[in-house]
Amino acid sequence: MSVEVPGGSGTRPESAPLDVGAAEDLLRGICFKTGPPRIVGVELEWLIQDRERPALRVAQERLDGAVESLRALPLSAALTFEPGGQLELSSQPAGSLMECVETTAADLAAVRSTLARSGLALVGLGVDPWQEPLRRLREPRYEAMEAALDRFGPSGRAMMCTSASVQVCLDAGEEEPGPLGFARRWQLAHLLGAVLVASFANSPFRQGRRTGWRSTRQALWADLDPGRTLAPGGGRAPRDAWAAHVLDTTVMCVRRDEGPWEVPEGLTFREWIRGGAPRPPVRADLDYHITTLFPPVRPRGHLELRMIDAQSGADGWLVPLAVATALFDDPEAAETVYRTVKPLAESAGSAPPPRNALWTTAARDGLSDPELRAAATVCFDTASAALERMGASEAVRSAVAAFTDRYVARGRCPADDLPEPGDLTDPTLLTGPVAEAAPDGSADGPGTGPTTPPHSGRVTSA
């Protein structure tokens, strides 16, 4: 979950109040910006743990010191933090998969080496296997979010404070029909998404116990406010479906200049426009409202794939990035994988993700489910061939091949390899080797990913 906040601190920019028609036009115009797929980004969320004693909660003072050091790094990506202290790196939009991999690997190397000086490490698991939720950020946004999600039970706090993911950002697609058309990519994302959940499931524990889910993180998302986390219902064109979904989802909060933000109950954005209370909404409120919706695929001009658990090891993150990019952006691969996953719609049924039968099976059973295993086998083989056509490096292709051999070919996912929480004590299992830091803060050692190019200045995230 990204913490980007259009509108900043909560001050309402001067703007004309919205009417329903204007809001619908805005949503149709900004959600699917079409053109030939040519850019890619990734948002990486990580748990921050003590390197030698990962089951112990990191003290706030220690984390604050590490954060101060991290903010001084000359990263290419945007560096932010989640409510529970999870770190997020949001890459700039890259012109190719390899550009994205290279800049992200360099940023991660610098972050890891800086944390290592404090005895801390990035841990790639979809859910913290040890700790109860503890919210460290006390900003009005998170006060309001916690209050809103608490109405639906404890899963909201667990999601906010203990979960981590790999989010792949891809172009919406072309206006014309075909394998790269935006309508096809939208449909593909919601079927292939279940295969990605199952393949990369990496969160079988919570608070020291096995949950019965390969992806406990996905189970938490499915247990939240359904209006906020479901995909739009079927039967409409993508732009119309998304516009209706946004306007008919309840408002999480109404921002104020001072004091706590109001948390209305049962007020949809459409009703807010029509009623105008507690104040008429403006464009900045609509932009902010979109950031409080958490469907498995979020259209924000590009498609944000939000269903993948964080991955363990130094380079685990690049496998879902490479696979998803290859399957969406290589035309031959996109056509093959669409034919492969289209029959999964029958297993999914009429309910939208992530609460339908297909997504539930993916989160609970991973690739032990025969249908998902068969689909994943074709998808990963297809991605492997596409990556070669796309000019992916030998390191990236080898990482995907190793993952395929270790997991997909055996009907397994990363969750199946994890020992019980009490035995998760090997630092290299969770974090990979430590990169040594050069005096300027850049990486100069092992564990830096496939490539370690120089850093550039800070830029906008994808």
Side-chain angles (χ1 to χ4, degrees):
M1 178 185 63
S2 178
V3 297
E4 72 281 5
V5 184
S9 64
T11 300
R12 179 166 60 96
E14 293 299 324
S15 180
L18 286 172
D19 59 39
V20 171
E24 290 176 336
D25 289 344
L26 282 169
L27 290 166
R28 292 191 186 98
I30 65 178
C31 59
F32 295 95
K33 293 180 181 178
T34 54
R38 58 183 177 82
I39 59 174
V40 59
V42 67
E43 299 177 8
L44 301 178
E45 297 172 350
W46 303 87
L47 308 173
I48 299 180
Q49 305 288 6
D50 184 286
R51 182 169 179 82
E52 301 301 329
R53 298 171 295 173
L56 296 181
R57 191 186 297 277
V58 177
Q60 186 66 52
E61 296 78 9
R62 190 180 178 196
L63 184 61
D64 288 344
V67 168
E68 184 177 355
S69 298
L70 290 172
R71 292 198 184 282
L73 293 174
L75 303 176
S76 171
L79 173 71
T80 53
F81 293 88
E82 297 296 325
Q86 309 98 305
L87 179 148
E88 178 175 329
L89 283 177
S90 299
S91 79
Q92 61 178 309
S96 68
L97 169 64
M98 286 311 304
E99 180 186 340
C100 186
V101 168
E102 290 166 359
T103 55
T104 302
D107 285 344
L108 279 172
V111 168
R112 286 190 171 110
S113 62
T114 298
L115 288 175
R117 290 197 291 269
S118 301
L120 301 175
L122 299 179
V123 171
L125 294 171
V127 171
D128 188 315
W130 305 286
Q131 301 298 333
E132 295 182 356
L134 172 65
R135 183 161 58 87
R136 298 179 185 261
L137 301 185
R138 295 296 168 184
E139 300 167 9
R141 169 181 171 90
Y142 299 117
E143 301 283 350
M145 181 182 293
E146 185 175 270
L149 295 180
D150 276 352
R151 292 169 178 161
F152 297 86
S155 293
R157 294 193 183 202
M159 176 276 295
M160 290 173 63
C161 300
T162 66
S163 69
S165 68
V166 175
Q167 298 177 18
V168 181
C169 299
L170 300 167
D171 279 347
E174 299 176 343
E175 195 69 31
E176 295 76 14
L180 299 184
F182 78 92
R184 170 77 69 85
R185 286 162 76 87
W186 181 243
Q187 184 181 9
L188 173 63
H190 289 94
L191 293 174
L192 177 61
V195 179
L196 298 177
V197 168
S199 301
F200 296 108
N202 193 35
S203 52
F205 310 118
R206 184 167 175 244
Q207 296 182 29
R209 296 185 297 274
R210 191 174 290 275
T211 64
W213 297 83
R214 261 68 168 202
S215 179
T216 302
R217 175 184 167 274
Q218 189 59 53
L220 290 173
W221 279 111
D223 197 40
L224 301 184
D225 172 2
R228 199 167 303 284
T229 57
L230 287 179
R236 295 186 182 185
R239 290 190 175 103
D240 294 338
W242 179 247
H245 180 70
V246 171
L247 294 182
D248 292 330
T249 299
T250 56
V251 175
M252 176 175 283
C253 55
V254 177
R255 296 174 295 164
R256 294 174 174 171
D257 292 338
E258 297 180 357
W261 295 357
E262 184 171 346
V263 184
E265 187 166 6
L267 176 70
T268 68
F269 201 92
R270 191 186 302 274
E271 292 167 341
W272 186 14
I273 291 174
R274 289 173 172 168
R279 60 169 173 77
V282 296
R283 165 68 186 270
D285 294 310
L286 179 61
D287 291 340
Y288 186 86
H289 176 60
I290 294 172
T291 74
T292 69
L293 308 185
F294 312 122
V297 184
R298 187 162 62 178
R300 307 188 63 189
H302 57 271
L303 298 183
E304 187 179 79
L305 308 185
R306 304 172 50 83
M307 71 289 296
I308 302 168
D309 280 0
Q311 298 295 293
S312 303
D315 299 334
W317 59 273
L318 70 81
V319 177
L321 169 63
V323 169
T325 304
L327 294 181
F328 275 85
D329 286 0
D330 180 85
E332 182 178 340
E335 184 63 34
T336 298
V337 76
Y338 178 74
R339 293 197 303 267
T340 299
V341 301
K342 190 174 182 181
L344 296 177
E346 184 175 344
S347 298
S350 59
R355 286 195 167 191
N356 64 36
L358 177 66
W359 281 65
T360 299
T361 298
R364 184 186 60 235
D365 300 337
L367 294 186
S368 68
D369 177 78
E371 186 177 32
L372 287 166
R373 177 181 180 178
T377 298
V378 176
C379 290
F380 275 75
D381 288 346
T382 301
S384 179
L387 287 169
E388 188 168 0
R389 290 193 294 269
M390 294 168 65
S393 69
E394 176 63 29
V396 169
R397 289 186 284 117
S398 294
V400 171
F403 186 97
T404 303
D405 291 343
R406 181 172 181 175
Y407 296 117
V408 180
R410 302 179 184 183
R412 297 173 62 80
C413 61
D416 294 321
D417 273 5
L418 292 175
E420 294 300 316
D423 297 323
L424 275 172
T425 56
D426 180 359
T428 60
L429 174 66
L430 298 176
T431 66
V434 181
E436 297 296 331
D440 64 356
S442 63
D444 184 20
T448 59
T451 53
T452 53
H455 296 296
S456 59
R458 183 179 300 280
V459 293
T460 305
S461 63

